[in-house]
Amino acid sequence: MMYGATNGNGNGGPTRHMEKARQAYYENNVSASIEAHKSHAAEEGHRTLGDSIKSVVYGGLDGVLTCFAIISGAAGGNLGPSTVLILGVSNIVADAFSMGVGDCVSTIAYHEHVMQERKREVWEFDNFEDGEITEMVDLYEQRGLPRDKAQVVVKTMAKYKEFFIDIMMCEELQLKVPGPDENPYKDGVVTFFSFLIFGTMPLLGYLIVPLVVPDVSSSVLFITAVIVTMLVLFILGSFKSAFSASSWWYSGLEFLLLGSAVASTSYGIAMIVEELAHDFFQNPK
């Protein structure tokens, strides 16, 4: 891989065509991989959407499972459709804000921790450079690099202070220094909307079906919610597979099974609680 040159967008970084390289990897095509390394990409060397995949999947999965847990719990407790809508909408909106803020705040806290550790590493490098170099040499030697080779590598990197500090953060502390494009506020917004959009999907049946069939039963509405939820989970899992090595059907099935387990647990607990509550109020001691 060639570094230091500019990619097709004029930015510093790898010159290989990332999309072609990924495709070659998925197809196990060595020739295509070689061509990808020789070609220049017209776009940046990463997928912009991929930067937000964690927030999309995290918020979407939590949203749809939270909403369906409310629906299945209400169904297990024999609550009416109007109650399901009230509980569902109020919880989804409130939880969406909570998830968005939580994602943003937790990311900010993590970045602050990383940067504080980086400041410490800078201070140690400025005051005892030889000690930091020795640490890295010892680390590379432990990983199998001969000590004389490790000394050459580390001393070369140490000539470039900022680069060396960032490498130390990754190698010694297992911490990745946040890049200039990482935005916790954007992640929070993505999580909020992902939770809100996917979280409202299981409620669509309760909103749309009664308009078409006025006298629809609660059981039909619940079955509709089950079908919609399972479909959304499969689609969400398939979407995740576009940014991993998993096949779309395997990833979709994984999310589907996870959602089924959560829904079944919620429904079962609600039935047990409803039965216990009924017996308690009918025969209070």
Side-chain angles (χ1 to χ4, degrees):
M1 186 188 307
M2 296 177 291
Y3 290 89
T6 59
N7 58 24
N9 201 28
N11 299 319
T15 61
R16 64 176 176 176
H17 194 300
M18 291 301 293
E19 289 302 321
K20 291 182 178 179
R22 290 189 180 97
Q23 188 64 30
Y25 165 73
Y26 296 141
E27 297 175 355
N28 193 27
N29 190 329
V30 178
S31 298
S33 177
I34 294 174
E35 290 301 319
H37 282 72
K38 292 180 179 179
S39 63
H40 290 255
E43 71 278 356
E44 289 188 54
H46 67 281
R47 303 187 215 185
T48 302
L49 181 59
D51 294 340
S52 301
I53 183 63
K54 177 186 74 71
S55 296
V56 172
V57 174
Y58 176 54
L61 180 61
D62 203 2
V64 69
L65 291 181
T66 296
C67 184
F68 189 70
I70 295 172
I71 293 175
S72 60
N78 292 320
L79 301 180
S82 60
T83 304
V84 173
L85 280 175
I86 294 172
L87 290 174
V89 173
S90 59
N91 275 274
I92 289 303
V93 173
D95 287 349
F97 277 107
S98 176
M99 289 289 293
V101 172
D103 190 8
C104 177
V105 172
S106 62
T107 303
I108 290 175
Y110 174 75
H111 286 182
E112 289 177 347
H113 166 67
V114 172
M115 296 311 295
Q116 184 60 39
E117 286 296 298
R118 192 181 189 282
K119 288 181 180 179
R120 180 182 58 78
E121 290 291 350
V122 170
W123 182 85
E124 291 180 353
F125 183 88
D126 290 340
N127 289 276
F128 189 30
E129 180 178 337
D130 290 342
E132 296 298 286
I133 291 176
T134 300
E135 287 182 6
M136 287 293 289
V137 170
D138 291 342
L139 181 61
Y140 283 168
E141 185 179 21
Q142 291 172 7
R143 295 184 179 180
L145 196 64
R147 191 168 186 84
D148 58 335
K149 303 295 184 182
Q151 289 176 335
V152 172
V153 171
V154 174
K155 289 182 179 180
T156 300
M157 292 192 298
K159 295 178 181 179
Y160 309 92
K161 176 180 174 181
E162 298 301 318
F163 170 75
F164 181 69
I165 297 298
D166 288 343
I167 293 296
M168 286 195 66
M169 293 290 294
C170 292
E171 298 288 352
E172 183 182 7
L173 303 180
Q174 305 298 310
L175 295 175
K176 178 180 178 296
V177 178
D181 295 333
E182 296 186 49
N183 189 336
Y185 298 99
K186 184 192 74 173
D187 292 342
V189 170
V190 171
T191 298
F192 168 78
F193 281 107
S194 180
F195 188 100
L196 192 64
I197 292 172
F198 285 100
T200 56
M201 294 296 179
L203 290 173
L204 291 181
Y206 285 83
L207 292 170
I208 298 175
V209 175
L211 298 177
V212 181
V213 186
D215 297 326
V216 65
S217 65
S218 297
S219 60
V220 172
L221 291 175
F222 178 67
I223 292 174
T224 302
V226 171
I227 296 173
V228 172
T229 300
M230 298 300 103
L231 181 61
V232 171
L233 283 170
F234 188 84
I235 292 174
L236 187 60
S238 299
F239 168 75
K240 181 183 74 70
S241 71
F243 301 90
S244 67
S246 301
S247 62
W248 64 271
W249 61 267
Y250 178 85
S251 186
L253 186 61
E254 180 183 32
F255 272 44
L256 184 59
L257 294 176
L258 174 63
S260 299
V262 172
S264 300
T265 301
S266 177
Y267 186 80
I269 291 175
M271 290 186 64
I272 295 173
V273 172
E274 192 273 339
E275 185 67 25
L276 293 175
H278 180 270
D279 293 341
F280 175 79
F281 287 108
Q282 287 293 326
N283 303 294
K285 294 182 179 181

